[in-house]
Each structure stands twice: as C-alpha cells, then as structure tokens.
C-alpha cells in the first residue's frame, strides 16, 4: 500500500469494498505455508439466508480470532461454506415456482425439481456470502464448501463423505429403520427437528370428559386437603379426563394415574370406555399406574395416546400399550382400512390378549369412526366434542393459555406422528463424545455450557435422520422386489449386494432380471428410498468433510482437529454434539479443542428481536449507516461471557465516533510529521512522556492479547478503547502538543517517532476488531505490506517503565481533579485559578516544576505553588500524599451556586422518589415488561449518583 494524505473523514462506504477486494486479491485470507496451524470452521449459514444480527456477532468473533492468530504468525484456515437447508430451500424454490405460475413440484417430478433447485442455488444462493464479506470476514473463500457439494453428483467429495458415513454406520449397526414418534409437519409432509419447532403460547381450551367405567361399575371417589381432612366424597361410575386435543381420544390405549394417588386406587386395573364413536363398538381401555401423571394437575388422570404425544409415547412403551395412529400425512383423520366396527374389534382382541402387541399390525388398524374419516383434524375435534357433549359426558370446558408447537417455516400446528424413519444410535456414539469433554480434550467456554452438553448427551434419544423432502442427500438405501433393503454408497454397489443375495437364494441371473419386468419394461431391479437425510447429518461432518475426507488430504492432516468452534448455545445439541460424535467416531479425534458459546443479540431493552415485535435490527442497515468497523466493535465490546448483547443503534453510533476519534488523532500525527521511523528504538526514549506512552502501549498489548486468548472479547475491546481514546488521544497527544510546537528539535524528533510508533501499535491491536479503518490508516503513513499480515505486538519486558507511568499518571490525576472541582463549583471556563500543593514531597515539587506548562494549560491555572497550609476559601482535593488547594471563592457567586445546587438536589430527589413509588407498586413490577422495570432501576442509580455529586459540591461550598 502506498503512502497518502489523509482525507478529513474516513469514507468507509468506498474504502471497505476497496480494502476487502485488495486483501482477497492478494491471497491474504489463505493459510500461510508456515507457522502453527489455527483452524476455524464457520457454522455454515443456510444457503437461503440473509445476514442477521446473530450471524454478525458470530462471524465478528471468529474474524477477531482469525486476524489475531494470523498476525501472530500462525497458519490460519478459516473454512467457509453454506448449508443446503433442505426444507427452507425447497420452500423458497416452490414459492418461486408458484409466483411464476409454473407447474407444481409434484407435476414436474423429482429430477426436474432438483435441477431447478440447483439452478436457484447457483444463481441466488450466494447472498449471505457477499454479506459476510461486507462484515469483513477474512475466510479463505477459495475453499468455500456447500453441504451438497458443487453439483450434488455422486462423485463429488462432499457427497462421498455423507454416503460413506451413512453406509459405515449402517454396517456397524448404528443406523437403522424404525417406527417412532416424530415432529410431523402436515404442510410440508415431513418429519422436522425440535429446532424447527416453535412453541407458542396461544388461547386454547381444556376439555374435561367422563370416561365411564366398564359394566357400569362404581367406586367411592374421595378428595382430601393437605391435613388429610375429607373435602369431597361421592360415588362415581367414571374417571375424569382433561385434554386439549379431543380428536386424539380415538387413539387412546389406556388411562394412567400416579401410583400414590389414593383417589383412583379402587379402580386401577379396571377398564373404562372411550366416550366417542358408535356405542355398540366403543373401546374399553385399562386404567394403569405410571409415574408420569401429576396428581396435582387437572384430575390427576391422563389419557395415554402413544402415537400422538411424546410423553404418552414413553408411558406406552413402558406399559406395552398399543400405539394407534389416527392421522395421515396431511393431518387429516385416516380414511383407510376396514370399517370401524371391524377395526375396533381388532383393538379389543389386543387388550384381551395382553402382552406386547405387534407394532406393524397395530399401525395398520384405523380406529377413526367412519363418520370422522377424512376430516381435517381440527374439524374432527369439533365433531368429537359435539358428540360427547350431546351424550352428556362433557364435564366442563376451561379457557386457558396453552403451549402449542408450530412449524417455524410452515406456520402450521405440528402433529406428533408415528412414522417409519431412519435413526442413528446416538446413545452409542455419544459415549466417547461425552468422555472427550470429561477428560478435557474438548472444553467449553464458558465452562458452564458443558453441563448443558452432558445433560443432553446423557439423556440422548435415537436421532431421526430422514426427511420426506426432495432436496437433500438422498438416503443410499435401495429396496428389492421382496422389500429387502440394501444400503450402499451407490446403486451399482447396492445391485451387487442384491444379486449376491438372490443368487445365494437360488435365483438365476435371468430370474433376477425378470423380477420387476411385470411393472414396466426396463424397470430397475432396485428402487431407491424416497427420503433425504436431515440437514444436520451432513453438517455434523463439517469439520472433516470440508478438509477433503474421506480422502487423506494434506489439509486434513494439517488442520484437523480444528482449534475452536464459535457458535450459539441453541445448537449445542443439534450441531456441536453431533460433530463431536461423528468426529470422534470417524477421525478418532475430537473435531475441535475449544467450543466458545456466545450469547444472544437482543434489542436495547433486553427483548428478543422478532418481526412481530418490530424490533429487528438489520446489520446491513447499520453497516450502510455507520460502517462495518463500528458494528463489529459494538458487538465485540458487549460480548461478555454468559451475558446477552443488548444492541442499541446509539452504541453503534458511539463506536463510529470512536473510529472518527482515531482518524482525527492520526490526522493530527500526520500534520505534525509523526511518521514511522525505522531507526526509533522505544527502549531508548529519553522524555518521560514518551517513555510513558511506550509503557502504556506495551501494557495494552499484554492486556488485549490476554483477553482474546481467554475469549473475553469485551475486555479486549475495552482495553483497546481505554488506551486509544483515554490515554493516547485525550492525554498523550494533548501533553505532546507543547513539545511538537516547541523549539527543542531533539525532543520534537523523538516525540514524533514515539507518537508514530504508538499509533502503529494501536492500529495493530485494534485491527482484529476494526479492520477497515486500521488498514486504511496503516497504508497512509508508510509504503508497506498490509496491516493484516504484520506481526502482532507482543509484550516486551524491556519496554516497561513504572517510574514514567507513575509520574505521568500523577500529572493526569492532578489535572483531572482540578477539572472536576471546576465543573462541580461552576467555575467559569475562561477563569484561571491558582493551585497550591500542600504537604507535598520534594519530588512532588519537582514534578510540578517539570510539568508546569502542561498543568497550567490543561487545568486552566494562573499560578502553581507549594505551601504548608491551605489558604482560606480554598477547595481541597486529596492528591497522592498531598492536598491540592484551589482558592475558588473569588471566581464564583457562592450564594447563587448554593441555591442552584439546592434546586438541582430537590429536583433529583423528586425523580428518585417517583421511581421508588413506581418500583414499590407490585402491579407495576409484576405486569410491566422486564426491560421496562430494569430501565427504572438504571434511571434510579443514575439519579443517586447525581445526588452524591451534588452533596459533595454543597459540602465543599460549606467550607468556603
């Protein structure tokens, strides 16, 4: 970069694109051939996505680490890429087809639709990558990967990795097909993960129904209070059930009560009747005990519909209760099978026989009464309620808030559904992954997140990895004419397995070739599974698939395991845990040594951002308005471990001002000919002021390095901010002005070199946080290589100078003390007042003499002297072991000042009283939004601090 004169302002809007293009073109983002490897794999954003504030925080922190380690001489690989986002991408393309009035997906067929998705991906799928570049992300874009590979072909390395993992796990007995309960999205007609389910509080109802006891039996129902006193005693011929989903009653397999619930002890083991459907064919189900029901909730009795509720499913599995599926893939009541009378008879025989029922046989039974078949589930609900009520078996209806699961993309109510899916034996894979964290091979930062990891991993369920979509890695399983499944990495390999099996069974090749000919001429021997793999399956391989696995590439050898993963807490289970399982299993080593978990980005009031609240802040809008540097520094400065980021636009504006402050300081240096001097040796600085700035810059390097290494990004940003704004800009340059404008050429030369040296250190230490403005300034002061490839300033013991630090801090504290008194006492800005140092040492007197000009200029002093006692009418400020006396009585109207402060005090006390009254109001504290209550506490603390200052000023006035 060539030396140039600085403009009045930093034009970030033109500079950011220019600088980024130069970095990328120079190959600066690629790993160097030397140095210890440092690797980060980017959490791959959805290919459909646009940059949101979570992405901005996550990638800012990754970029800080990468730029920091790159400058420290490490061979940094920041591996980028995107996720194919199965359901989201399929939805985007289908919506596009609808808007263009093109034929539906189902009309054009799978192959043509997948081609359309690939076309969309190549034309429109790079949006978020370009947005990450605007943020300043220094990824090695030449290595960008996509979880589906470049074109999805079977010979693509990313595809091969997924196929190999699936087949290997299958052959090891760790992948299998099973019928289990899943989150089913009736709109997209697919299973979805828990992360894709959005639980919302909605207005709902709780219906209470009577389940009559079989044969008209009765029992004495008794309720007691806490002391054991009887509060209700009556004879009942039913058990009371409460449900929010009456349509699922049709699939009940039992009614459960808690073993300790005395109310129902007389009827445990009896049968009760489901109060819906044709009277002649109503089913009887057993009343059982299980620890799941809560005696304190509702009636204490729970209907068990194992095929349509996750909790019920567990109870059903424990109690061998049949799982009756009631709905089809669209969420309508089933209309297949024999008439209800025949189907209910089958269910009756199952109850009579007892034992563990055959799952396939039970699943084929359709227990939806004929009159409800084919109805939408919510229409069926209305009909069921009306029919039960007409029979007098509805006890009551409660209006209440309920939590209801919705598909986060479809927006429809999710139905727990019993379906055939592919599963990974996660429990087996989890064991070594748990041990890796227990033994410290992988550590979490903050450490408390390891507890979340253990909790999930120790209670892990089989992982459903199949999805009923067309976009994604198609499951490498093929079915023969007899339904036998062949799992292989390709159809060719699967066909070989099939031929071997059928040949062993005595079939000739001609017989095998004719097996499917009855379907149509040229029909293949095998038919591939229609499902695709869960998106998380391929992203679980990300740390090693992106490095070339299953091939043994040089990159895999050098950069695996990766160094650190930076991610959010909500995907510890969905992604982090699964990468741990797959990495340990296939690479025999952990995928990363450290997992840094960052917090959420909330609005300034502490509320989650959402479109419905209208409080979403678009990072690109802030970048357009204030520049990427300002947004990055804002996010880093608030990224305290374990604390959510509260983002206010005013903070971004404030850090834009910080950037402007640095720019103006650099312009001051430029105007005063402060340019990098290769001959300047900071150890040999002679002036106390310059020794001090060298010492402080050296200390700042130690502080920033230590905090980044510990992932305390906010403290690292804070150390930079303090040194740049307070020490360098506010004090060093101000204190240097008399020297730079003086006649002592030697002092001037040294100060110019020291200022340039310190500015270079600032640009290097700030670069990981604010890469654009620092790079621009670096190139403006000298013709040299890019800042991002310069050497990180490490702490140097020889640059420490405690004596210079002590002296300059003594001067700064004295100036600050005088300024504070002047402000509190309302001394006119133009007035110059005397200062008398009382009780100081000979060294204090010498310091006053050495810094006489600076003290007078910056503290607005007319005279500086020493004395044994303070003069009358002087305000006294303790300074070190001495007292600075400031005779201000002649410069202010004491009576008017007392009146002003008294009025200010009264006003402030009223503000505090008003807030206290509000906070004492229980209704306000309980009902007001949390952020509003917290704002009141913050306001109160501010007013209290103001009162303390007013009282201190009044106390000083009283002594005059």
């Amino acid at each position: 970069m060539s030396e140039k004169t600085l403009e009045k302002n930093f034009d970030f809007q033109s500079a950011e694109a220019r600088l980024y293009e130069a970095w990328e073109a120079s190959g600066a983002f690629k790993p160097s051939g030397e140095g210890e490897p440092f690797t980060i794999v980017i959490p791959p954003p959805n290919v459909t996505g646009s940059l949101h504030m979570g992405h901005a925080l996550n990638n800012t922190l990754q970029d800080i680490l990468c730029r920091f380690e790159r400058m420290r001489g490490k061979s940094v690989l920041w591996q980028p890429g995107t996720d194919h986002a199965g359901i989201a991408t399929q939805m985007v393309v289908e919506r596009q087809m609808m808007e263009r009035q093109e034929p539906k997906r189902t009309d054009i067929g799978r192959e043509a639709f997948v081609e359309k998705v690939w076309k969309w991906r190549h034309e429109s799928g790079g949006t978020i990558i370009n947005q990450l570049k605007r943020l300043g992300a220094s990824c090695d874009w030449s290595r960008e990967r996509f979880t589906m590979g470049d074109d999805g072909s079977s010979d693509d390395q990313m595809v091969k990795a997924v196929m190999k993992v699936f087949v290997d796990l299958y052959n090891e007995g760790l992948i299998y097909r099973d019928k289990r309960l899943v989150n089913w999205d009736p709109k997209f007609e697919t299973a979805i993960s828990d992360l894709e389910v959005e639980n919302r509080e909605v207005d709902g109802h709780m219906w209470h129904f009577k389940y009559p006891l079989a044969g008209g039996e009765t029992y004495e129902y008794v309720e007691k209070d806490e002391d054991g006193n009887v509060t209700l005693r009556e004879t009942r011929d039913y058990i009371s059930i409460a449900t929010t989903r009456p349509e699922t009653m049709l699939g009940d397999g039992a009614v459960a009560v808690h073993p300790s619930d005395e109310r129902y002890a007389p009827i445990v083991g009896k049968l009760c009747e489901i109060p819906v459907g044709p009277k002649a064919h109503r089913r009887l189900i057993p009343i059982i005990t299980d620890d799941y029901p809560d005696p304190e909730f509702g009636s204490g009795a729970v209907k068990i519909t194992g095929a349509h509720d996750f909790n019920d499913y567990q109870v059903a599995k424990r109690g061998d209760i049949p799982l009756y599926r009631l709905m089809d893939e669209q969420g309508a009541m089933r209309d297949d099978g024999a008439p209800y009378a025949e189907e209910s008879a089958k269910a009756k025989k199952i109850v009579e026989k007892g034992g563990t029922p055959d799952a396939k046989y039970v699943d084929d039974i359709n227990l939806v009464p004929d009159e409800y078949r084919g109805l939408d589930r919510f229409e069926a609900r209305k009909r069921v309620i009306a029919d039960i009520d007409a029979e007098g078996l509805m006890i009551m209806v409660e209006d209440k808030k309920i939590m209801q699961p919705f598909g986060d993309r479809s927006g429809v109510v999710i139905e727990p559904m019993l379906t055939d899916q592919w599963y990974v034996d996660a429990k087996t894979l989890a064991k070594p992954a748990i041990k890796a964290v227990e033994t410290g091979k992988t550590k979490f930062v903050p450490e408390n997140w390891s507890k979340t990891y253990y909790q999930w991993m120790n209670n892990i369920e089989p992982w459903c990895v199949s999805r009923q979509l067309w976009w994604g890695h198609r499951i490498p399983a093929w079915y023969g004419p007899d339904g036998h499944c062949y799992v292989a990495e390709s159809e060719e390999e699967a066909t070989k397995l099939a031929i071997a099996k059928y040949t062993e069974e005595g079939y000739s090749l001609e017989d095998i070739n004719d097996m499917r000919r009855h379907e149509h001429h040229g029909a293949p021997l095998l038919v591939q599974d229609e499902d695709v793999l869960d998106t998380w399956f391929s992203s679980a391989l990300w740390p090693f698939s992106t490095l070339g696995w299953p091939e043994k590439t040089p990159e895999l050898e050098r950069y695996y395991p990766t160094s650190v993963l930076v991610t959010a807490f909500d995907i510890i289970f969905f992604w982090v845990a699964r990468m741990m399982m797959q990495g340990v299993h296939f690479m025999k080593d952990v995928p990363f040594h450290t997992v840094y978990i960052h917090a959420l980005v909330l609005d300034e009031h502490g509320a989650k951002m959402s479109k419905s609240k209208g409080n979403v802040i678009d990072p690109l809008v802030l970048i357009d308005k204030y520049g990427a540097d300002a947004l990055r520094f804002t996010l880093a400065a608030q990224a305290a471990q374990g604390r959510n980021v509260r983002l206010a636009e005013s903070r971004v504006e404030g850090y834009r001002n910080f950037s402007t402050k640095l720019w103006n300081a650099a312009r001051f240096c430029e105007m005063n000919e402060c340019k990098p001097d290769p001959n300047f040796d900071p150890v040999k600085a002679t002036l106390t002021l310059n020794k001090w700035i060298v010492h402080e810059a050296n200390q700042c390097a130690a502080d920033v390095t230590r905090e980044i290494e510990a992932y305390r990004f906010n403290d690292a940003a804070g150390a930079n901010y303090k040194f740049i704004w307070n020490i360098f800009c506010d004090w060093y340059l101000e204190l240097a002005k008399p020297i730079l404008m003086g006649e002592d050429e030697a002092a001037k030369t040294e100060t110019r070199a020291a200022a340039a040296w310190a500015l270079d250190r600032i640009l290097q230490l700030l670069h990981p946080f604010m890469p654009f403005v620092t790079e621009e300034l670096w190139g403006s002061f000298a013709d040299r290589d890019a800042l991002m490839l310069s050497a990180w300033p490490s702490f140097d013991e020889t640059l420490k100078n405690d004596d210079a630090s002590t002296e300059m801090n003594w001067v700064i504290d004295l100036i600050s003390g005088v300024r504070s008194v002047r402000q509190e006492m309302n001394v006119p800005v133009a007035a110059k007042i005397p200062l008398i140092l009382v009780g100081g040492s000979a060294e204090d007197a010498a310091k006053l003499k050495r810094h006489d000009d600076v003290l007078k200029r910056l503290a607005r002093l007319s005279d500086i002297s020493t004395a044994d006692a303070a003069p009358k009418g002087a305000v006294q400020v303790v300074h070190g072991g001495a007292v600075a006396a400031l005779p201000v009585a002649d410069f202010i109207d004491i009576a008017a000042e007392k009146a002003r402060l008294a009025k200010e005090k009264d006003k402030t006390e009223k503000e505090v009283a008003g807030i206290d009254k509000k906070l004492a109001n229980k209704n306000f504290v309980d009902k007001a939004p949390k952020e509003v209550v917290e704002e009141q506490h913050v306001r109160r603390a501010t007013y209290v601090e103001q009162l303390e200052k007013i009282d201190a000023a009044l106390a000083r006035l009283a002594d005059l």
Side-chain angles (χ1 to χ4, degrees), residues 181-397:
L181 209 59
V182 297
N183 296 306
W184 186 264
D185 190 314
K187 180 177 178 179
F188 292 130
E189 298 181 36
T190 181
I192 61 174
S193 71
D194 289 344
L195 194 65
E196 295 163 309
V197 176
E198 190 178 277
N199 289 297
R200 302 180 202 160
E201 187 178 65
V202 298
D203 292 325
H205 307 284
M206 178 79 83
W207 288 272
H208 295 253
F209 300 122
K210 294 179 180 180
Y211 276 43
L213 297 181
E217 281 201 51
T218 61
Y219 68 107
E220 189 174 58
Y221 177 83
V222 179
E223 287 187 359
K224 298 178 181 179
D225 62 19
E226 292 179 359
D227 299 322
N229 301 311
V230 175
T231 58
L232 174 67
R233 185 190 299 271
E234 65 181 17
T235 299
R236 288 185 175 180
D237 62 356
Y238 66 89
I239 185 168
S240 174
I241 299 299
T243 180
T244 59
R245 300 162 66 213
E247 69 280 8
T248 63
M249 293 167 60
L250 304 168
D252 288 354
V255 169
V257 297
H258 196 274
S260 67
D261 198 332
E262 296 177 359
R263 294 171 298 175
Y264 302 113
I267 57 172
V268 170
K270 307 279 188 184
L271 298 175
C272 61
E273 181 182 280
I274 299 173
V276 67
K279 190 71 176 171
H281 304 291
R282 284 198 183 159
R283 291 193 300 117
L284 296 177
I285 56 175
I287 299 170
I288 65 169
T289 59
D290 192 271
D291 289 335
Y292 166 60
D294 179 0
E296 303 299 320
F297 183 77
S299 68
V302 179
K303 67 184 207 62
I304 303 302
T305 317
H308 289 279
D309 182 275
F310 286 100
N311 291 315
D312 292 2
Y313 178 76
Q314 297 300 332
V315 177
K317 297 295 274 187
R318 287 193 291 269
D320 284 335
I321 297 166
L323 305 173
Y324 298 115
R325 183 171 51 87
L326 300 172
M327 299 174 202
D328 64 16
E329 290 82 358
Q330 293 85 33
M333 308 308 286
R334 285 174 60 180
D335 63 357
D336 61 314
Y340 178 72
E342 294 178 31
E343 299 286 52
S344 63
K346 294 176 187 175
K348 182 181 179 182
K349 286 181 181 178
I350 290 173
V351 173
E352 291 170 349
K353 183 180 179 183
T356 304
D358 178 75
K360 175 71 170 65
Y361 178 75
V362 171
D363 189 64
D364 286 340
I365 296 174
N366 180 1
L367 289 177
V368 179
D370 302 329
E371 62 269 29
Y372 304 142
R373 293 189 177 188
L375 292 178
D376 175 79
R377 55 188 162 154
F378 299 116
E379 179 58 33
R381 176 181 298 178
K382 294 176 187 176
R383 295 273 294 273
V384 167
I385 294 166
D387 289 347
I388 296 176
D389 191 25
E391 203 168 317
L393 294 176
M394 185 160 71
I395 300 170
M396 65 173 179
V397 184

Side-chain angles (χ1 to χ4, degrees), residues 438-482:
E438 288 175 338
T439 57
K441 289 198 75 176
T442 294
K443 65 175 183 176
F444 280 83
V445 179
E447 196 279 331
N448 62 289
W449 287 112
S450 63
K451 296 174 185 174
T452 303
Y453 175 81
Y454 292 139
Q455 182 182 359
W456 280 334
M457 294 289 268
N458 286 321
N459 297 285
I460 201 164
E461 292 286 326
W463 171 19
C464 175
V465 294
S466 48
R467 296 292 182 267
Q468 290 62 54
L469 302 169
W470 284 0
W471 172 244
H473 289 281
R474 195 162 174 185
I475 288 176
W478 284 263
Y479 300 93
D482 56 356

Side-chain angles (χ1 to χ4, degrees), residues 57-88:
L57 171 64
N58 179 268
N59 286 279
T60 291
L61 300 183
Q62 289 178 83
D63 196 46
I64 288 171
L65 291 171
C66 288
R67 289 178 183 270
F68 168 65
E69 296 294 7
R70 196 179 282 120
M71 292 174 75
R72 291 217 291 182
K74 293 185 181 179
S75 180
V76 173
L77 170 59
W78 186 6
Q79 174 63 55
T82 51
D83 191 284
H84 65 275
I87 198 166

Side-chain angles (χ1 to χ4, degrees), residues 2 10 44 77 179 237 276 322 328 348 481 513 628 650 654 925 935:
S2 59
F10 176 48
L77 170 59
K179 187 182 290 291
D237 62 356
V276 67
D328 64 16
K348 182 181 179 182
N513 284 330
S650 58
V925 175
E935 185 183 2

